[in-house]
Amino acid sequence: MNKIAVLTSGGDAPGMNAAIRAVVRRGIFKGLDVYGVKNGYDGLMTGNFIQMDLGSVGDILHRGGTILYSARSERFKTADGQQQALAQLMEVGIDGLVVIGGDGSFKGAGKLTAQGFPTIGIPGTIDNDIAGTDYTIGFDTAVNTAVEAIDKIRDTASSHERTYVIEVMGRDAGDIALWAGMCAGAESIIIPEANYEINDMIDRIKQGHERGKLHSIIVVAEGVCKGTDIGNMIEEKTGFDTRVAVLGHFQRGGSPTAYDRMMSSQMGAKAVDLLVEGKKGVMVGVKNGQLIYTPFEEAAKDRHTIDMSIYHLARSLSI
């Protein structure tokens, strides 16, 4: 292992730059040449490599997004696309690759490993929806961003005695909605992993109003339904002034939290160590506070699960 490369793929997440920095500096510390691949798998197929040095990752620890840029690639899913990528890696003399991204990115990395090329994955997605790890890079920042937004919305909701529906990201996983709703004191949290009853939500809003509460906050994950649909139902059934706020990609950006910087740094360094040790086709993860690694195929067999005890706790505290 003399030369390694690192790329980011899929949706960006705060902390990706911290992980890139860790891969580059740990690699140089280990005596390796380190290359960055721009524009994800598209850049891998076209040979968009840049050699990284210590200075190239200076002053990026605190920056959101990814300095290597990111893209989803349909062409890389084909056998021809994968062969093009392998040819580019061979031409530059790259011996191992670190892929920072989500489960789709790891499927691509697994294709390379299946053809004999060593790859290591680092889970980077704000949705926290990858099996095989308790935590993914970007989740903590996204939750804090959502909580800060909800706190500010609550101020105006109280001032105008309104009900607010906050739609957060999470197409197939409700982690952001659950954590943000719990930490912001939402009356109801609607997530893909739990059935919701509109009448239960309405009853909670009415009960709060009857005891003199000036506002209500409902948090919904985008994968369940549109926030506007929930808002219309609430207004129709209660007559209360109801507004909807869709946080959208606002949750993707921003400076990563200290926790995201710490986890990104640890995972990035671990990925390099695994390559040096001869490991391949595995994803770095965190289980019970400890760094672990899991083969891509094992992680793919399991489904991401949410901690439903937090959901039930939130319901009991929002009465």
PDB file of all heavy atoms in Angstrom, residues 114-145:
ATOM      1  N   ALA A 114     -15.134  -6.441  -5.210  1.00  0.00           N
ATOM      2  CA  ALA A 114     -15.429  -7.745  -5.803  1.00  0.00           C
ATOM      3  C   ALA A 114     -14.522  -8.047  -6.988  1.00  0.00           C
ATOM      4  O   ALA A 114     -14.307  -9.221  -7.339  1.00  0.00           O
ATOM      5  CB  ALA A 114     -16.891  -7.798  -6.241  1.00  0.00           C
ATOM      6  N   GLN A 115     -13.981  -6.989  -7.596  1.00  0.00           N
ATOM      7  CA  GLN A 115     -13.074  -7.176  -8.731  1.00  0.00           C
ATOM      8  C   GLN A 115     -11.605  -7.072  -8.290  1.00  0.00           C
ATOM      9  O   GLN A 115     -10.715  -6.921  -9.128  1.00  0.00           O
ATOM     10  CB  GLN A 115     -13.400  -6.161  -9.820  1.00  0.00           C
ATOM     11  CG  GLN A 115     -14.816  -6.354 -10.381  1.00  0.00           C
ATOM     12  CD  GLN A 115     -15.190  -5.311 -11.415  1.00  0.00           C
ATOM     13  OE1 GLN A 115     -14.615  -5.280 -12.511  1.00  0.00           O
ATOM     14  NE2 GLN A 115     -16.146  -4.450 -11.079  1.00  0.00           N
ATOM     15  N   GLY A 116     -11.402  -7.137  -6.968  1.00  0.00           N
ATOM     16  CA  GLY A 116     -10.042  -7.227  -6.442  1.00  0.00           C
ATOM     17  C   GLY A 116      -9.419  -5.939  -5.962  1.00  0.00           C
ATOM     18  O   GLY A 116      -8.275  -5.943  -5.497  1.00  0.00           O
ATOM     19  N   PHE A 117     -10.162  -4.821  -6.067  1.00  0.00           N
ATOM     20  CA  PHE A 117      -9.565  -3.541  -5.656  1.00  0.00           C
ATOM     21  C   PHE A 117      -9.976  -3.205  -4.224  1.00  0.00           C
ATOM     22  O   PHE A 117     -11.169  -3.131  -3.913  1.00  0.00           O
ATOM     23  CB  PHE A 117      -9.985  -2.409  -6.598  1.00  0.00           C
ATOM     24  CG  PHE A 117      -9.161  -1.171  -6.409  1.00  0.00           C
ATOM     25  CD1 PHE A 117      -7.953  -1.021  -7.069  1.00  0.00           C
ATOM     26  CD2 PHE A 117      -9.569  -0.172  -5.539  1.00  0.00           C
ATOM     27  CE1 PHE A 117      -7.164   0.106  -6.871  1.00  0.00           C
ATOM     28  CE2 PHE A 117      -8.800   0.956  -5.331  1.00  0.00           C
ATOM     29  CZ  PHE A 117      -7.588   1.090  -5.999  1.00  0.00           C
ATOM     30  N   PRO A 118      -9.014  -2.946  -3.324  1.00  0.00           N
ATOM     31  CA  PRO A 118      -9.326  -2.676  -1.914  1.00  0.00           C
ATOM     32  C   PRO A 118     -10.074  -1.358  -1.713  1.00  0.00           C
ATOM     33  O   PRO A 118      -9.615  -0.299  -2.154  1.00  0.00           O
ATOM     34  CB  PRO A 118      -7.942  -2.619  -1.247  1.00  0.00           C
ATOM     35  CG  PRO A 118      -7.020  -3.329  -2.180  1.00  0.00           C
ATOM     36  CD  PRO A 118      -7.552  -3.030  -3.552  1.00  0.00           C
ATOM     37  N   THR A 119     -11.209  -1.436  -1.055  1.00  0.00           N
ATOM     38  CA  THR A 119     -11.970  -0.231  -0.719  1.00  0.00           C
ATOM     39  C   THR A 119     -12.416  -0.292   0.738  1.00  0.00           C
ATOM     40  O   THR A 119     -12.681  -1.369   1.271  1.00  0.00           O
ATOM     41  CB  THR A 119     -13.229  -0.071  -1.605  1.00  0.00           C
ATOM     42  OG1 THR A 119     -14.080  -1.215  -1.423  1.00  0.00           O
ATOM     43  CG2 THR A 119     -12.861   0.059  -3.069  1.00  0.00           C
ATOM     44  N   ILE A 120     -12.504   0.874   1.360  1.00  0.00           N
ATOM     45  CA  ILE A 120     -13.013   1.018   2.726  1.00  0.00           C
ATOM     46  C   ILE A 120     -14.070   2.121   2.697  1.00  0.00           C
ATOM     47  O   ILE A 120     -13.874   3.165   2.060  1.00  0.00           O
ATOM     48  CB  ILE A 120     -11.900   1.416   3.720  1.00  0.00           C
ATOM     49  CG1 ILE A 120     -10.766   0.393   3.716  1.00  0.00           C
ATOM     50  CG2 ILE A 120     -12.491   1.576   5.130  1.00  0.00           C
ATOM     51  CD1 ILE A 120     -11.110  -0.962   4.279  1.00  0.00           C
ATOM     52  N   GLY A 121     -15.187   1.914   3.388  1.00  0.00           N
ATOM     53  CA  GLY A 121     -16.247   2.909   3.422  1.00  0.00           C
ATOM     54  C   GLY A 121     -16.318   3.650   4.742  1.00  0.00           C
ATOM     55  O   GLY A 121     -16.034   3.087   5.807  1.00  0.00           O
ATOM     56  N   ILE A 122     -16.675   4.922   4.661  1.00  0.00           N
ATOM     57  CA  ILE A 122     -16.954   5.741   5.847  1.00  0.00           C
ATOM     58  C   ILE A 122     -18.386   6.251   5.704  1.00  0.00           C
ATOM     59  O   ILE A 122     -18.711   6.909   4.708  1.00  0.00           O
ATOM     60  CB  ILE A 122     -15.987   6.933   5.958  1.00  0.00           C
ATOM     61  CG1 ILE A 122     -14.542   6.455   6.132  1.00  0.00           C
ATOM     62  CG2 ILE A 122     -16.381   7.834   7.127  1.00  0.00           C
ATOM     63  CD1 ILE A 122     -13.519   7.584   6.140  1.00  0.00           C
ATOM     64  N   PRO A 123     -19.273   5.970   6.660  1.00  0.00           N
ATOM     65  CA  PRO A 123     -20.682   6.360   6.532  1.00  0.00           C
ATOM     66  C   PRO A 123     -20.886   7.860   6.690  1.00  0.00           C
ATOM     67  O   PRO A 123     -20.675   8.418   7.769  1.00  0.00           O
ATOM     68  CB  PRO A 123     -21.372   5.583   7.654  1.00  0.00           C
ATOM     69  CG  PRO A 123     -20.303   5.388   8.683  1.00  0.00           C
ATOM     70  CD  PRO A 123     -19.017   5.243   7.924  1.00  0.00           C
ATOM     71  N   GLY A 124     -21.276   8.516   5.620  1.00  0.00           N
ATOM     72  CA  GLY A 124     -21.517   9.950   5.645  1.00  0.00           C
ATOM     73  C   GLY A 124     -22.880  10.278   5.075  1.00  0.00           C
ATOM     74  O   GLY A 124     -23.055  10.299   3.860  1.00  0.00           O
ATOM     75  N   THR A 125     -23.861  10.502   5.930  1.00  0.00           N
ATOM     76  CA  THR A 125     -25.209  10.895   5.520  1.00  0.00           C
ATOM     77  C   THR A 125     -25.938  11.475   6.720  1.00  0.00           C
ATOM     78  O   THR A 125     -25.866  10.907   7.823  1.00  0.00           O
ATOM     79  CB  THR A 125     -26.020   9.725   4.949  1.00  0.00           C
ATOM     80  OG1 THR A 125     -27.408  10.088   4.842  1.00  0.00           O
ATOM     81  CG2 THR A 125     -25.914   8.480   5.817  1.00  0.00           C
ATOM     82  N   ILE A 126     -26.642  12.566   6.527  1.00  0.00           N
ATOM     83  CA  ILE A 126     -27.325  13.201   7.654  1.00  0.00           C
ATOM     84  C   ILE A 126     -28.491  12.357   8.160  1.00  0.00           C
ATOM     85  O   ILE A 126     -28.952  12.546   9.284  1.00  0.00           O
ATOM     86  CB  ILE A 126     -27.826  14.616   7.298  1.00  0.00           C
ATOM     87  CG1 ILE A 126     -28.924  14.561   6.231  1.00  0.00           C
ATOM     88  CG2 ILE A 126     -26.689  15.518   6.887  1.00  0.00           C
ATOM     89  CD1 ILE A 126     -29.636  15.891   6.033  1.00  0.00           C
ATOM     90  N   ASP A 127     -28.978  11.415   7.345  1.00  0.00           N
ATOM     91  CA  ASP A 127     -30.166  10.647   7.725  1.00  0.00           C
ATOM     92  C   ASP A 127     -29.900   9.592   8.796  1.00  0.00           C
ATOM     93  O   ASP A 127     -30.841   9.055   9.375  1.00  0.00           O
ATOM     94  CB  ASP A 127     -30.767   9.957   6.494  1.00  0.00           C
ATOM     95  CG  ASP A 127     -31.379  10.950   5.519  1.00  0.00           C
ATOM     96  OD1 ASP A 127     -31.789  12.034   5.958  1.00  0.00           O
ATOM     97  OD2 ASP A 127     -31.457  10.641   4.318  1.00  0.00           O
ATOM     98  N   ASN A 128     -28.645   9.247   9.033  1.00  0.00           N
ATOM     99  CA  ASN A 128     -28.286   8.222  10.022  1.00  0.00           C
ATOM    100  C   ASN A 128     -28.984   6.890   9.717  1.00  0.00           C
ATOM    101  O   ASN A 128     -29.436   6.186  10.625  1.00  0.00           O
ATOM    102  CB  ASN A 128     -28.653   8.676  11.438  1.00  0.00           C
ATOM    103  CG  ASN A 128     -27.853   7.959  12.514  1.00  0.00           C
ATOM    104  OD1 ASN A 128     -26.644   7.796  12.387  1.00  0.00           O
ATOM    105  ND2 ASN A 128     -28.518   7.520  13.568  1.00  0.00           N
ATOM    106  N   ASP A 129     -29.058   6.534   8.446  1.00  0.00           N
ATOM    107  CA  ASP A 129     -29.889   5.404   8.032  1.00  0.00           C
ATOM    108  C   ASP A 129     -29.096   4.219   7.479  1.00  0.00           C
ATOM    109  O   ASP A 129     -29.613   3.447   6.661  1.00  0.00           O
ATOM    110  CB  ASP A 129     -30.899   5.867   6.978  1.00  0.00           C
ATOM    111  CG  ASP A 129     -30.238   6.409   5.715  1.00  0.00           C
ATOM    112  OD1 ASP A 129     -29.002   6.609   5.723  1.00  0.00           O
ATOM    113  OD2 ASP A 129     -30.957   6.639   4.724  1.00  0.00           O
ATOM    114  N   ILE A 130     -27.847   4.063   7.921  1.00  0.00           N
ATOM    115  CA  ILE A 130     -27.023   2.964   7.423  1.00  0.00           C
ATOM    116  C   ILE A 130     -26.906   1.888   8.494  1.00  0.00           C
ATOM    117  O   ILE A 130     -26.522   2.169   9.634  1.00  0.00           O
ATOM    118  CB  ILE A 130     -25.621   3.461   7.016  1.00  0.00           C
ATOM    119  CG1 ILE A 130     -25.743   4.476   5.878  1.00  0.00           C
ATOM    120  CG2 ILE A 130     -24.730   2.304   6.602  1.00  0.00           C
ATOM    121  CD1 ILE A 130     -24.426   5.063   5.427  1.00  0.00           C
ATOM    122  N   ALA A 131     -27.247   0.653   8.126  1.00  0.00           N
ATOM    123  CA  ALA A 131     -27.108  -0.467   9.058  1.00  0.00           C
ATOM    124  C   ALA A 131     -25.625  -0.751   9.282  1.00  0.00           C
ATOM    125  O   ALA A 131     -24.786  -0.460   8.435  1.00  0.00           O
ATOM    126  CB  ALA A 131     -27.809  -1.703   8.484  1.00  0.00           C
ATOM    127  N   GLY A 132     -25.309  -1.314  10.434  1.00  0.00           N
ATOM    128  CA  GLY A 132     -23.921  -1.650  10.722  1.00  0.00           C
ATOM    129  C   GLY A 132     -23.174  -0.594  11.510  1.00  0.00           C
ATOM    130  O   GLY A 132     -22.009  -0.762  11.844  1.00  0.00           O
ATOM    131  N   THR A 133     -23.850   0.515  11.803  1.00  0.00           N
ATOM    132  CA  THR A 133     -23.233   1.570  12.614  1.00  0.00           C
ATOM    133  C   THR A 133     -24.325   2.303  13.379  1.00  0.00           C
ATOM    134  O   THR A 133     -25.451   2.445  12.886  1.00  0.00           O
ATOM    135  CB  THR A 133     -22.434   2.567  11.752  1.00  0.00           C
ATOM    136  OG1 THR A 133     -21.826   3.552  12.586  1.00  0.00           O
ATOM    137  CG2 THR A 133     -23.317   3.264  10.725  1.00  0.00           C
ATOM    138  N   ASP A 134     -24.004   2.738  14.575  1.00  0.00           N
ATOM    139  CA  ASP A 134     -24.969   3.513  15.369  1.00  0.00           C
ATOM    140  C   ASP A 134     -25.033   4.960  14.917  1.00  0.00           C
ATOM    141  O   ASP A 134     -25.978   5.672  15.275  1.00  0.00           O
ATOM    142  CB  ASP A 134     -24.573   3.487  16.858  1.00  0.00           C
ATOM    143  CG  ASP A 134     -24.688   2.104  17.473  1.00  0.00           C
ATOM    144  OD1 ASP A 134     -25.458   1.276  16.952  1.00  0.00           O
ATOM    145  OD2 ASP A 134     -23.992   1.849  18.489  1.00  0.00           O
ATOM    146  N   TYR A 135     -24.026   5.383  14.150  1.00  0.00           N
ATOM    147  CA  TYR A 135     -23.911   6.809  13.856  1.00  0.00           C
ATOM    148  C   TYR A 135     -23.303   7.038  12.486  1.00  0.00           C
ATOM    149  O   TYR A 135     -22.377   6.333  12.077  1.00  0.00           O
ATOM    150  CB  TYR A 135     -23.032   7.493  14.919  1.00  0.00           C
ATOM    151  CG  TYR A 135     -22.968   8.980  14.741  1.00  0.00           C
ATOM    152  CD1 TYR A 135     -23.998   9.784  15.191  1.00  0.00           C
ATOM    153  CD2 TYR A 135     -21.909   9.567  14.072  1.00  0.00           C
ATOM    154  CE1 TYR A 135     -23.966  11.151  14.994  1.00  0.00           C
ATOM    155  CE2 TYR A 135     -21.873  10.936  13.866  1.00  0.00           C
ATOM    156  CZ  TYR A 135     -22.902  11.723  14.328  1.00  0.00           C
ATOM    157  OH  TYR A 135     -22.876  13.058  14.115  1.00  0.00           O
ATOM    158  N   THR A 136     -23.838   8.009  11.765  1.00  0.00           N
ATOM    159  CA  THR A 136     -23.263   8.409  10.488  1.00  0.00           C
ATOM    160  C   THR A 136     -22.853   9.874  10.544  1.00  0.00           C
ATOM    161  O   THR A 136     -23.486  10.692  11.226  1.00  0.00           O
ATOM    162  CB  THR A 136     -24.264   8.211   9.323  1.00  0.00           C
ATOM    163  OG1 THR A 136     -25.413   9.053   9.515  1.00  0.00           O
ATOM    164  CG2 THR A 136     -24.719   6.757   9.242  1.00  0.00           C
ATOM    165  N   ILE A 137     -21.796  10.200   9.820  1.00  0.00           N
ATOM    166  CA  ILE A 137     -21.267  11.566   9.788  1.00  0.00           C
ATOM    167  C   ILE A 137     -22.331  12.534   9.273  1.00  0.00           C
ATOM    168  O   ILE A 137     -22.970  12.291   8.251  1.00  0.00           O
ATOM    169  CB  ILE A 137     -20.028  11.621   8.881  1.00  0.00           C
ATOM    170  CG1 ILE A 137     -18.860  10.871   9.525  1.00  0.00           C
ATOM    171  CG2 ILE A 137     -19.620  13.069   8.593  1.00  0.00           C
ATOM    172  CD1 ILE A 137     -17.669  10.710   8.606  1.00  0.00           C
ATOM    173  N   GLY A 138     -22.526  13.609   9.982  1.00  0.00           N
ATOM    174  CA  GLY A 138     -23.463  14.653   9.570  1.00  0.00           C
ATOM    175  C   GLY A 138     -24.763  14.661  10.340  1.00  0.00           C
ATOM    176  O   GLY A 138     -25.470  15.676  10.366  1.00  0.00           O
ATOM    177  N   PHE A 139     -25.097  13.537  10.971  1.00  0.00           N
ATOM    178  CA  PHE A 139     -26.381  13.442  11.666  1.00  0.00           C
ATOM    179  C   PHE A 139     -26.483  14.435  12.815  1.00  0.00           C
ATOM    180  O   PHE A 139     -27.482  15.143  12.960  1.00  0.00           O
ATOM    181  CB  PHE A 139     -26.596  12.011  12.174  1.00  0.00           C
ATOM    182  CG  PHE A 139     -27.818  11.843  13.028  1.00  0.00           C
ATOM    183  CD1 PHE A 139     -29.085  12.039  12.497  1.00  0.00           C
ATOM    184  CD2 PHE A 139     -27.704  11.490  14.369  1.00  0.00           C
ATOM    185  CE1 PHE A 139     -30.221  11.884  13.285  1.00  0.00           C
ATOM    186  CE2 PHE A 139     -28.826  11.335  15.165  1.00  0.00           C
ATOM    187  CZ  PHE A 139     -30.089  11.535  14.621  1.00  0.00           C
ATOM    188  N   ASP A 140     -25.456  14.511  13.639  1.00  0.00           N
ATOM    189  CA  ASP A 140     -25.508  15.392  14.809  1.00  0.00           C
ATOM    190  C   ASP A 140     -25.680  16.850  14.397  1.00  0.00           C
ATOM    191  O   ASP A 140     -26.465  17.595  14.994  1.00  0.00           O
ATOM    192  CB  ASP A 140     -24.240  15.223  15.644  1.00  0.00           C
ATOM    193  CG  ASP A 140     -24.318  15.969  16.969  1.00  0.00           C
ATOM    194  OD1 ASP A 140     -25.182  15.624  17.790  1.00  0.00           O
ATOM    195  OD2 ASP A 140     -23.517  16.905  17.179  1.00  0.00           O
ATOM    196  N   THR A 141     -24.960  17.255  13.358  1.00  0.00           N
ATOM    197  CA  THR A 141     -25.071  18.641  12.885  1.00  0.00           C
ATOM    198  C   THR A 141     -26.474  18.916  12.349  1.00  0.00           C
ATOM    199  O   THR A 141     -27.065  19.968  12.635  1.00  0.00           O
ATOM    200  CB  THR A 141     -24.031  18.925  11.794  1.00  0.00           C
ATOM    201  OG1 THR A 141     -22.726  18.623  12.290  1.00  0.00           O
ATOM    202  CG2 THR A 141     -24.070  20.391  11.371  1.00  0.00           C
ATOM    203  N   ALA A 142     -27.002  17.974  11.564  1.00  0.00           N
ATOM    204  CA  ALA A 142     -28.336  18.158  10.985  1.00  0.00           C
ATOM    205  C   ALA A 142     -29.392  18.279  12.074  1.00  0.00           C
ATOM    206  O   ALA A 142     -30.300  19.121  11.986  1.00  0.00           O
ATOM    207  CB  ALA A 142     -28.665  17.000  10.051  1.00  0.00           C
ATOM    208  N   VAL A 143     -29.288  17.459  13.107  1.00  0.00           N
ATOM    209  CA  VAL A 143     -30.252  17.526  14.211  1.00  0.00           C
ATOM    210  C   VAL A 143     -30.145  18.863  14.934  1.00  0.00           C
ATOM    211  O   VAL A 143     -31.163  19.502  15.237  1.00  0.00           O
ATOM    212  CB  VAL A 143     -30.030  16.365  15.195  1.00  0.00           C
ATOM    213  CG1 VAL A 143     -30.830  16.588  16.478  1.00  0.00           C
ATOM    214  CG2 VAL A 143     -30.439  15.048  14.567  1.00  0.00           C
ATOM    215  N   ASN A 144     -28.922  19.299  15.208  1.00  0.00           N
ATOM    216  CA  ASN A 144     -28.747  20.584  15.885  1.00  0.00           C
ATOM    217  C   ASN A 144     -29.273  21.739  15.044  1.00  0.00           C
ATOM    218  O   ASN A 144     -29.848  22.700  15.573  1.00  0.00           O
ATOM    219  CB  ASN A 144     -27.270  20.790  16.227  1.00  0.00           C
ATOM    220  CG  ASN A 144     -26.868  20.113  17.523  1.00  0.00           C
ATOM    221  OD1 ASN A 144     -27.104  20.642  18.612  1.00  0.00           O
ATOM    222  ND2 ASN A 144     -26.277  18.935  17.420  1.00  0.00           N
ATOM    223  N   THR A 145     -29.074  21.663  13.732  1.00  0.00           N
ATOM    224  CA  THR A 145     -29.600  22.688  12.837  1.00  0.00           C
ATOM    225  C   THR A 145     -31.124  22.712  12.899  1.00  0.00           C
ATOM    226  O   THR A 145     -31.748  23.783  12.966  1.00  0.00           O
ATOM    227  CB  THR A 145     -29.145  22.419  11.390  1.00  0.00           C
ATOM    228  OG1 THR A 145     -27.715  22.496  11.331  1.00  0.00           O
ATOM    229  CG2 THR A 145     -29.738  23.447  10.433  1.00  0.00           C
TER     230      THR A 145
END
